[in-house]
Amino acid sequence: MRTVRFVTIALLFALAFRSAAGGAEALKRWRFEYDVEGWTSSDSNVSWSADRAAEGGYGLKLDVDFPQPATMLCPVNFDVDLVGRVSYNVFVPEDAPESVKTLLFLKDKDGLWFQHFVEKPIPRGTWHSVVVDISSSSPQLRPSGHHAQWSSVHARRSILLGLKFFCDKEYKGSIYVDNVEARRVSPPTGPLRVIDLRESAPETGRYEKFEVTFDINRDVANPFDPDHIRIDATFEDPENKTRTVPAFYYQDFVRRVVNEREELTHVGQGVWKVRYAPVVEGPHTYYLTIHYTPDRRTGGEAEQLVTGKRKFICVPSDSKGFIRVCKKDPNYFSFDSGDWFYPIGHNVHSPSDDTPRAVAIQKHIGKDILANTGTFECDRIFGKMAESGENFAEVWMCSWWLELEWLAEWRHFNGLNDYSLFAAWRLDYLVDLAKEKGMYLHLTIDNHGQASTWTDPEWENNPYNEIN
């Protein structure tokens, strides 16, 4: 009987601990019973210590010299997008000031920073537990240095977890940290739904852009993986012809020039969009089909949602339609209206090129290095082209400009099957800019691989061929 009672009490204690920690399984734990487990400091000293421990015999000691902040951080070696809460225990000595506070932050490889600052001071002389919600819908994690909204996309790209401690009074000593835990996010509840759907307008001109913006009530860590999420819009025109258009994930930015370079800053939350150009006047309908498969790491059943039909009207416009190979003479181009189109323009390539090879070329020919002002330079170039009567430009989707996929080691890229939202926004801006200037674009894909196979002897002897 005594044994049964002991097991029952132990089980109840375990359940109570699980509930207090958020009722979810721990995805990652740092107990610090054997070493520092990868935690370091960028501005102080972190050491493995037996001086104090919230549980077991060891914890971490962080040396502080307030009012200078003290930081401890650890590379992310777990799936942040699967985490709902991070908790940690802190001990502030009794002789420390009463105003010691803490902050938790997450950062990605490009420096995008999200943080939660705990306004209430940490109690002194006792172990205190701090719990931070880092789920995709967290109201606590805030952007720092940008205006993006925390989401599962940002969580998936996080590479660094950090804890920071502040105090406005002078104090030199140590703070102790123990039992850092990352607990799994709670599974979604309720059926798959479309939320916050907005349409660009109830009426859209013929050949003009009709745009639908929306979100779904599911976490999507990689919106570019069709095996994880696929959303299509099916349109039906007044002639009962249907066309299916894929939705795409979109992140907005604001732009500015800093030190002669264009900088893009995230704004708001990423959303889903569908764009469609109607070609037949009259009432149209459309509906969304969503295929959502939970991440293989979490399991769960695949879901599908087919929405009800919505309507919009296509009205007359001044557009001549799309440009196609001329039906009368395939050596030429014409609009859908039948009007002839003759492209007049040139290759814009990219607005700047400050790669090592390009810099070497500029120095060799005695020219100044072009400032990398991105879309701002395109404003100037496209404006001059339009003023000169040009109506066409070829633009290169190169790795430092508009390429959507590239090596993960590069800034703003995450390898194959994960698009650069920075490049996508710039490409979107260029399309709108060309429309504003009455110009048409031809996009070419980066061909770096072939360029590196050159064997021209004159090229090999060039003084600026460090990178070919």
Side-chain angles (χ1 to χ4, degrees), residues 219 226-230 291-296 299-303:
D219 289 341
D227 292 331
H228 179 31
I229 180 72
R230 189 174 81 250
H291 299 272
Y292 175 80
T293 302
D295 194 288
R296 289 185 293 272
E301 298 294 326
E303 299 176 270

Side-chain angles (χ1 to χ4, degrees), residues 136-156:
S136 62
S137 57
S138 171
Q140 294 184 320
L141 280 184
R142 302 294 180 88
S144 178
H146 58 95
H147 307 287
Q149 185 173 329
W150 176 253
S151 70
S152 54
V153 174
H154 295 299
R156 175 175 171 266

